[in-house]
Amino acid sequence: MKRILSLVMILALVLSLGFTAMAEEAVEEPATEEVAEEVTEEVEEEAVEEEAVEEEAEEVAEEAVEEEAVEEEVAEEVAEEPTPQEVAGAMLVEAGIVQGYPDGSLGLENTITRAEMAAVIVRTAGMGAEAEAMLGEESMFSDVAAEAWYSGVVNVAAAEGWVTGDPEGTFRPNDPVQYREAVTMVLRALGYSNDSLEGVWPENYVSMAAELGLAADMELDSREAAPRGDVFVILADTVDFETESFNLELMPVVEEEAVEEEAVEEEAVEEEAEEVAEEAVEEEETEEESEEVVEESEETEEVL
């Protein structure tokens, strides 16, 4: 009997545990479904976010492509737009002042020698014929040979006072011209001199160049060799391309006293010329009177 009761109790206990497990499973099932729904929602949200990120990335990529296209277009425009050096060189070539290389290039990055600088200044001043006439003549500079191609232009530039050379009596024709030397030669060709400019060299010439607005973006007092392109810019700023010569408006203004002195001298010369003319007339009248007297004498002799 006890065994039967024990078995009944055990069976009751087992049934009780089974019902409890079934109840727990019944409770857990709705909870699991809720979790699944939450997970699904999260996955969907993440998918939406990823899609948005992908769309944003695509927009950024498109913007980058557009910016790159714009940059390339700007770069092409900048490359096509000529530099000030190129513009100046082309204008000087057209005016016959500058000569390019046989291949048609201007060598804007190359240096320009002091002899070449003298040549372009002489051409700008319209004194090419004078340079040809002085070609082969002995130079005042010991290092300028008479047979050198540049002897004529250097001789003209020296005679005009545009170049003075070194204290040793040399010109250094094959040395690259410095910025300060180039601007000095140009301003001297315009008519400026050490006597007309205040201060010491090269500051006096550099200051005058700044006043005239020449090559405002360059350090004209530099000892550095000036590239051909920069020299062309300096020179082009002083040229009147209608006359293809130096711009008269940039030349120094003659002071009023000097003008008055010249006017007085011209007046004195005119008065002297008038006096000479009057004397010539008087002499002519005297000669005519003398001829009349001679004629009268001859007539008297015939009567006698």
Side-chain angles (χ1 to χ4, degrees):
M1 185 70 176
K2 290 182 180 178
R3 292 182 180 177
I4 295 172
L5 288 174
S6 299
L7 290 173
V8 170
M9 291 178 64
I10 292 170
L11 179 61
L13 179 59
V14 170
L15 290 173
S16 174
L17 290 174
F19 285 125
T20 303
M22 291 175 65
E24 289 178 355
E25 288 178 2
V27 172
E28 289 177 358
E29 283 181 3
T32 305
E33 291 177 359
E34 290 176 3
V35 171
E37 289 177 1
E38 290 177 0
V39 171
T40 302
E41 289 176 0
E42 290 179 1
V43 171
E44 289 176 353
E45 289 177 0
E46 289 179 0
V48 170
E49 290 178 359
E50 288 179 0
E51 186 176 355
V53 170
E54 289 177 359
E55 290 177 357
E56 185 176 353
E58 289 177 0
E59 291 177 0
V60 171
E62 289 176 359
E63 290 178 0
V65 171
E66 291 176 0
E67 288 179 2
E68 186 176 354
V70 170
E71 289 176 359
E72 289 178 357
E73 186 177 348
V74 171
E76 288 177 0
E77 291 178 358
V78 170
E80 291 175 359
E81 184 177 349
T83 64
Q85 288 77 5
E86 291 171 339
V87 172
M91 295 175 71
L92 292 172
V93 168
E94 186 176 352
I97 295 172
V98 168
Q99 298 174 351
Y101 293 113
D103 62 357
S105 66
L106 293 176
L108 299 176
E109 302 298 328
N110 298 341
T111 57
I112 180 170
T113 67
R114 286 167 55 85
E116 291 171 334
M117 188 71 199
V120 295
I121 290 176
V122 168
R123 291 195 204 106
T124 307
M127 300 186 69
E130 289 81 350
E132 289 183 7
M134 297 186 73
L135 181 64
E137 293 186 6
E138 185 178 354
S139 173
M140 64 179 289
F141 302 116
S142 61
D143 56 350
V144 176
E147 64 273 12
W149 69 265
Y150 48 76
S151 65
V153 293
V154 172
N155 288 339
V156 168
E160 295 295 326
W162 303 337
V163 298
T164 57
D166 299 326
E168 296 80 9
T170 58
F171 179 66
R172 296 179 288 110
N174 296 314
D175 281 6
V177 71
Q178 300 174 3
Y179 279 96
R180 58 183 189 167
E181 293 172 339
V183 74
T184 297
M185 293 182 189
V186 170
L187 288 182
R188 282 178 179 168
L190 282 172
Y192 296 93
S193 65
N194 295 341
D195 296 332
S196 64
L197 297 177
E198 296 182 357
V200 297
W201 185 84
E203 286 78 11
N204 49 358
Y205 285 92
V206 172
S207 297
M208 178 53 63
E211 185 175 333
L212 296 175
L214 307 183
D217 297 331
M218 298 182 193
E219 296 183 8
L220 298 178
D221 61 343
S222 173
R223 295 173 178 265
E224 296 294 324
R228 287 165 59 90
D230 286 358
V231 170
F232 294 164
V233 171
I234 297 171
L235 191 60
D237 284 349
T238 67
V239 172
D240 179 352
F241 285 97
E242 291 185 1
T243 62
E244 296 182 349
S245 184
F246 284 115
N247 190 340
L248 298 178
E249 295 181 359
L250 297 179
M251 294 184 176
V253 178
V254 180
E255 296 181 1
E256 187 174 349
E257 293 181 0
V259 173
E260 291 178 357
E261 290 178 0
E262 290 181 0
V264 170
E265 290 177 0
E266 289 179 0
E267 186 177 353
V269 170
E270 290 176 359
E271 290 177 356
E272 186 176 352
E274 289 176 0
E275 291 177 0
V276 171
E278 290 175 359
E279 290 178 359
V281 170
E282 291 176 359
E283 288 180 0
E284 186 176 352
E285 291 176 352
T286 302
E287 290 177 359
E288 289 177 354
E289 290 178 0
S290 299
E291 289 177 358
E292 290 176 0
V293 171
V294 171
E295 290 176 358
E296 290 177 0
S297 300
E298 291 177 350
E299 290 176 357
T300 303
E301 289 178 358
E302 289 177 359
V303 172
L304 296 175

